[in-house]
Amino acid sequence: MADDYELLNVGGLTSLVTNVNVSLWGNEVILECIYDPTGDRSPYSLVFQDCRFITWEVHDEEEVKDPEADLIGIHLGEDAHRKAALIHTDIFEISILYGNFSVRKGENLNSETADLTTEVLVSQPQAVL
C-alpha cells in the first residue's frame, strides 16, 4: 500500500507530530504537526471530523515523554466512514474511521476554517491536489 503523505501537500521533507487532540467525545481528532523540522518548522494540522471509531497503539513506551514523534507513514483511507485512516509514527499508531478530513496550514491552527491561511480537503486518497 502506497503512503499518502504527498497528498497532504506540505512538501517533500519529513514531518513531526507534536500533539493529538481528541475532542467532542472523540468525534473530532486533530493531529498537530510540524513540517521541515530542521528548517522553517511550518505548523499544520490533520483534522478528522465526524469520527466513529478510533484505535490507538503505543509502540515505544520509553519514548512517550518525547515532545515530538516522527511521522513514518500515513494512509488517508476513505471518508464517509468507508475506510479508516492510519497514521504511523515512531512512538504510536492511530487508526481513525472518519466522515471528513482536512489539512489546516498557517499560524492560527485552532481558529475556525474561514480564518485559516490554507485548507485542503481530500475526499479520496487518489485525488490529485
Side-chain angles (χ1 to χ4, degrees):
M1 179 184 318
D3 188 288
D4 292 332
Y5 185 73
E6 64 190 41
L7 294 176
L8 302 179
N9 200 25
V10 294
L13 298 177
T14 60
S15 287
L16 300 172
V17 177
T18 58
N19 190 30
V20 178
N21 184 1
V22 179
S23 61
L24 302 173
W25 305 110
N27 191 257
E28 182 176 80
V29 177
I30 300 175
L31 282 84
E32 296 174 12
C33 302
I34 296 174
Y35 168 71
D36 190 12
T38 60
D40 293 337
R41 295 184 67 89
S42 302
Y44 69 95
S45 293
L46 307 177
V47 182
F48 296 91
Q49 295 175 315
D50 190 19
C51 299
R52 301 274 173 89
F53 187 77
I54 303 165
T55 58
W56 187 290
E57 182 180 348
V58 175
H59 294 300
D60 193 342
E61 293 177 24
E62 295 176 6
E63 302 294 324
V64 296
K65 294 188 180 187
D66 283 357
E68 301 169 332
D70 293 324
L71 182 62
I72 295 172
I74 182 167
H75 302 283
L76 295 176
E78 295 180 27
D79 64 357
H81 311 106
R82 292 179 291 201
K83 187 174 180 183
L86 180 64
I87 296 95
H88 183 77
T89 73
D90 62 331
I91 299 173
F92 68 91
E93 183 175 278
I94 187 170
S95 175
I96 306 166
L97 189 61
Y98 64 96
N100 300 303
F101 169 78
S102 63
V103 174
R104 295 180 183 170
K105 299 177 188 177
E107 294 302 318
N108 192 359
L109 298 175
N110 294 322
S111 66
E112 292 297 319
T113 302
D115 296 332
L116 300 173
T117 58
T118 304
E119 181 183 38
V120 178
L121 297 176
V122 177
S123 62
Q124 294 182 5
Q126 296 81 13
V128 177
L129 300 177

